[in-house]
Amino acid sequence: MKISKIKDFFVSVEVIPPLRGHSIDEIYKVVDKIAPFNPAFISVTKHPAELEYYEVDGRILKLPKVRRPGTMGIVAALKMRYDIDVVPHLTCIGNSKFELEELLIDLDFIGIDNVFVVRGDKKRNVIKKDGQYEYAYQLVEQIFNMNKGKYLYQNAKKTDFCIGVAGYPEKHFESPNMTEDIKYLKRKIEAGAKFVITQMFFDEKKYIDFVERLKKENITIPIIPGIKPITSYKSAKKLPGTFFIDIPEKLLEDLREAKTEKEEFFVGIRHTIKMIEKLREYGIPGIHIFTMSKPDPVLEILKNI
């Protein structure tokens, strides 16, 4: 199933791999609860290796380690266990173009139809690889070429990936302004992207304004809103510093006035449901919910929509 060709309103979810050394059962516990709602697809995030310090035999060693490994294993396991389309994240940072080609060949072998391309965060301790792309559009071009049978150094079997990329209703924090940010998004689409999943936002007007600006640039591929339920005042205060997004004043005030954690939870859920209803009135293709490995907020939303 190609995400770009889904006609009816759909719900999809994102999961993150468990921490190194933890069990995939952590993922199953989340998806087991969500699967009965028939999500259109499940996306799985990817994390690059970072340099960390370890004491080994009295010596301090600096070693590469992925905090949340197993993305591709989880993709295969979810596909087999639930018979649901699974979408792996592919990151430029931390992967060479040669490694990415091999990874794409493996994904083609196991029948993956859709991939989601991101540049990745430029953290100071992330290991940079030779042959690593600097921009997401470069990886989109590589995949688009593989779909035409053009591999890095040979012509071979055509793949058939539907390529998704990220969009930012409040602009990427590195972009000087929204106009510049949309130029980068347009470049990814011109390179071959067929759908967009947005960064989280908490005011439907941000998404609507974003899409209207894209229409003026003749961008008509599906723009899928990324939804993150806020369920506590603490998380509402923390999110802007991590994801560079705004929290509406009314939502923050309502969370602050809640007397218990349960009240906070339902304040956030009601806000999310109301926002989704307004988005559906506008005419969104579907919603993509970031689970953050917490199924309860997602279930509450799914029950109500």
Side-chain angles (χ1 to χ4, degrees):
M1 179 201 67
K2 302 291 190 296
I3 292 171
S4 62
K5 297 185 182 300
I6 302 176
K7 300 299 182 185
D8 298 325
F9 176 84
F10 64 85
V11 173
S12 57
V13 296
E14 177 183 288
V15 297
I16 57 177
L19 291 168
R20 173 177 287 275
H22 289 220
S23 171
I24 195 173
D25 288 340
E26 295 178 21
I27 301 294
Y28 291 156
K29 288 175 183 176
V30 174
V31 181
D32 280 348
K33 293 181 178 181
I34 295 171
F37 291 91
N38 298 315
F41 62 90
I42 300 170
S43 72
V44 185
T45 61
K46 180 79 167 67
H47 303 261
E50 301 178 32
L51 289 172
E52 296 195 7
Y53 292 90
Y54 293 88
E55 184 174 351
V56 180
D57 297 330
R59 294 183 301 153
I60 302 297
L61 302 179
K62 187 165 66 171
L63 303 172
K65 186 175 89 168
V66 180
R67 291 186 68 245
R68 294 183 180 272
T71 295
M72 298 311 138
I74 291 169
V75 166
L78 292 179
K79 183 175 172 61
M80 291 175 61
R81 182 180 174 100
Y82 299 100
D83 192 29
I84 295 173
D85 280 286
V86 188
V87 182
H89 287 213
L90 301 176
T91 60
C92 298
I93 289 178
N95 293 291
S96 73
K97 59 185 177 182
F98 311 103
E99 292 170 323
L100 287 163
E101 181 175 272
E102 292 175 3
L103 183 56
L104 287 158
I105 291 170
D106 285 343
L107 293 172
D108 184 51
F109 283 164
I110 64 173
I112 295 300
D113 291 324
N114 306 278
V115 293
F116 186 67
V117 171
V118 294
R119 185 198 69 185
D121 295 331
K122 288 186 175 181
K123 296 180 180 178
R124 185 179 60 183
N125 58 338
V126 168
I127 300 170
K128 185 173 181 177
K129 298 284 187 73
D130 291 335
Q132 172 180 296
Y133 291 128
E134 290 296 320
Y135 304 102
Y137 81 87
Q138 295 170 306
L139 177 51
V140 173
E141 286 178 343
Q142 179 177 348
I143 301 168
F144 184 75
N145 284 332
M146 289 182 69
N147 284 348
K148 295 189 293 183
K150 297 179 181 179
Y151 288 50
L152 290 174
Y153 293 109
Q154 68 181 100
N155 293 329
K157 172 190 175 294
K158 293 180 181 179
T159 55
D160 191 24
F161 294 113
C162 180
I163 308 165
V165 294
Y168 299 85
E170 299 179 61
K171 85 172 185 62
H172 191 280
F173 74 96
E174 292 178 10
S175 290
N177 54 59
M178 181 59 81
T179 300
E180 195 74 9
D181 200 50
I182 289 176
K183 286 181 183 177
Y184 288 118
L185 177 57
K186 192 170 184 178
R187 191 167 189 180
K188 290 186 282 188
I189 293 168
E190 290 170 345
K194 299 299 183 184
F195 67 94
V196 173
I197 298 176
T198 76
Q199 174 62 283
M200 67 183 73
F201 56 90
F202 298 94
D203 182 346
E204 70 281 353
K205 296 185 186 70
K206 303 279 189 183
Y207 171 89
I208 293 169
D209 290 346
F210 179 59
V211 173
E212 290 301 316
R213 293 188 69 158
L214 296 183
K215 287 179 180 177
K216 291 177 182 177
E217 296 292 330
N218 296 315
I219 295 174
T220 58
I221 64 174
I223 311 296
I224 305 165
I227 303 296
K228 164 73 172 73
I230 283 186
T231 54
S232 72
Y233 177 71
K234 182 179 179 181
S235 65
K237 292 281 285 184
K238 184 178 179 182
L239 283 170
T242 305
F243 296 101
F244 306 95
I245 42 88
D246 289 336
I247 305 296
E249 185 178 339
K250 180 66 166 59
L251 172 59
L252 201 62
E253 182 181 332
D254 290 346
L255 287 167
R256 188 189 297 117
E257 291 179 354
K259 299 295 190 295
T260 64
E261 290 183 359
K262 186 175 181 180
E263 280 186 30
E264 285 183 83
F265 178 90
F266 282 105
V267 164
I269 295 299
R270 285 194 297 270
H271 172 85
T272 305
I273 292 168
K274 187 175 180 180
M275 185 174 72
I276 292 171
E277 289 172 348
K278 291 179 179 177
L279 289 170
R280 292 192 71 175
E281 289 173 6
Y282 173 69
I284 54 174
I287 58 171
H288 188 64
I289 307 177
F290 306 123
T291 69
M292 310 302 284
S293 299
K294 297 178 181 178
D296 292 343
V298 182
L299 291 173
E300 202 62 41
I301 290 167
L302 294 178
K303 289 174 187 175
N304 281 277
I305 68 168

